[in-house]
């Protein structure tokens, strides 16, 4: 009985706090992408071992990121935690690859106006991807679990795949073993884009807490009766590690303005054109030099 009373008290207190005039909240998320044994290996003898190790460590870091979500009752700003950039050519290259894999740039979404804006950069050119916030048809579950101090409920949905995110590509049927066992001499003349495809949609599982009754979440996810603390698509998991309600320092939650304004579909087309250019130059998705896929 005491436990039920305490849970109700916390829920009511949270609702009163959120209904305050200047309510804001902050949530920190850790994003991890599982790539199994697919991490590229380097066997180019012209690259020193210490350099090979550094490249592999930087590539691994691209799959483990930290994001901060600042939110109020209707809008939010979601951004990757800023890290020191060495400013050299390698750092710029990894920054570009990170952008192609869905990282980098701030995201603004307004659940009242149904708008979403995201800053993106490709080859030094800045874009502002602007679109209508897509509706997510959630299937509500009864399963619960604890994330930190919060009781969370399960929900699932099928959502369209982001065609501008390279991480959403999957090997075509019968191509996975070829990619894993590809030899360096064959990689020089292989068009990797012919060996992969983009699924139309994907199934996601989310865990939300009514104890923070705002319809917000990381990335494009929203629309549940509580803050989303965890979401996974089977490959990438985004997990909340900290929630702060009414922080002392208020964040600026306003629509983004930087960059050439394009729709999500237009940006996906631009990304595909840039990918083809990279293939012709021997970059990602084309002829990767000393990089081979697999173990």
């Amino acid at each position: 009985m005491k436990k039920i009373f305490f849970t109700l008290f916390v829920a009511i207190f949270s609702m009163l706090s959120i209904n305050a005039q200047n309510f804001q909240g902050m949530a920190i998320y850790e994003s991890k992408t599982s790539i199994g044994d697919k991490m590229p290996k380097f066997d180019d003898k012209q690259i020193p071992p210490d350099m090979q190790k550094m490249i592999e460590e930087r590539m691994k870091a691209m799959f483990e990121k930290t994001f901060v979500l600042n939110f109020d009752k209707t809008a939010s700003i979601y951004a990757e935690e800023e890290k020191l950039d060495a400013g050299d050519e390698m750092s710029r290259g990894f920054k570009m690859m990170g952008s192609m894999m869905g990282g980098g740039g701030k995201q603004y979404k307004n659940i009242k106006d149904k708008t979403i804006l995201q800053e993106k950069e490709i080859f030094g050119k800045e874009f502002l991807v602007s679109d209508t916030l897509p509706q997510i048809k959630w299937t509500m579950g009864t399963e619960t679990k604890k994330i930190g101090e919060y009781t969370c409920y399960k929900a699932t949905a099928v959502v369209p795949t982001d065609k501008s995110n390279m991480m959403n590509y999957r090997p075509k049927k019968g191509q996975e073993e070829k990619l894993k066992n590809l030899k360096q001499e064959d990689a020089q003349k292989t068009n990797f884009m012919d060996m992969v495809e983009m699924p139309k949609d994907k199934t996601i599982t989310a865990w939300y807490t009514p104890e923070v009754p705002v319809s917000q979440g990381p990335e494009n996810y929203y629309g549940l009766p509580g803050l989303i603390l965890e979401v996974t698509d089977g490959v990438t998991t985004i997990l909340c590690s900290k929630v702060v309600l009414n922080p002392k320092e208020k964040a600026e939650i306003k629509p983004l303005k930087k960059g050439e304004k394009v729709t999500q579909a237009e940006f996906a087309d631009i990304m595909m054109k840039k990918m083809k250019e990279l293939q012709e130059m021997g970059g990602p998705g084309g002829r990767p030099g000393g990089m081979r896929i697999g173990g």
Side-chain angles (χ1 to χ4, degrees), residues 79-112:
E80 186 176 345
E81 189 178 68
E82 293 185 5
K83 296 178 181 177
L84 291 176
D85 188 349
D88 54 22
E89 187 175 348
M90 183 183 294
S91 296
R92 290 193 294 270
F94 275 100
K95 184 177 180 180
M96 181 190 72
M97 288 180 64
S99 178
M100 289 182 169
M101 293 162 58
K106 294 180 180 178
Q107 182 201 70
Y108 169 88
K109 62 177 182 282
N110 190 308
I111 60 175
K112 183 179 179 181

Side-chain angles (χ1 to χ4, degrees), residues 163-180:
K163 293 180 173 58
S164 66
N165 187 344
M166 286 176 59
M167 288 303 299
N168 288 323
Y169 279 102
R170 299 290 181 267
K172 291 180 180 178
K173 189 175 181 180
Q175 296 294 325
E176 189 165 356
E177 284 301 313
K178 290 182 181 179
L179 281 167
K180 285 181 66 176

Side-chain angles (χ1 to χ4, degrees), residues 160-209:
T161 303
D162 180 1
K163 293 180 173 58
S164 66
N165 187 344
M166 286 176 59
M167 288 303 299
N168 288 323
Y169 279 102
R170 299 290 181 267
K172 291 180 180 178
K173 189 175 181 180
Q175 296 294 325
E176 189 165 356
E177 284 301 313
K178 290 182 181 179
L179 281 167
K180 285 181 66 176
N181 299 316
L182 195 64
K183 296 180 180 179
Q184 182 176 339
E185 55 269 25
D186 296 327
Q188 300 285 340
K189 52 189 178 183
T190 298
N191 186 340
F192 289 96
M193 297 305 294
D194 289 340
M195 304 175 75
V196 296
E197 60 186 355
M198 180 74 71
K200 182 180 178 181
D201 50 43
K202 60 182 179 180
T203 300
I204 58 170
T205 300
W207 294 88
Y208 67 95
T209 178

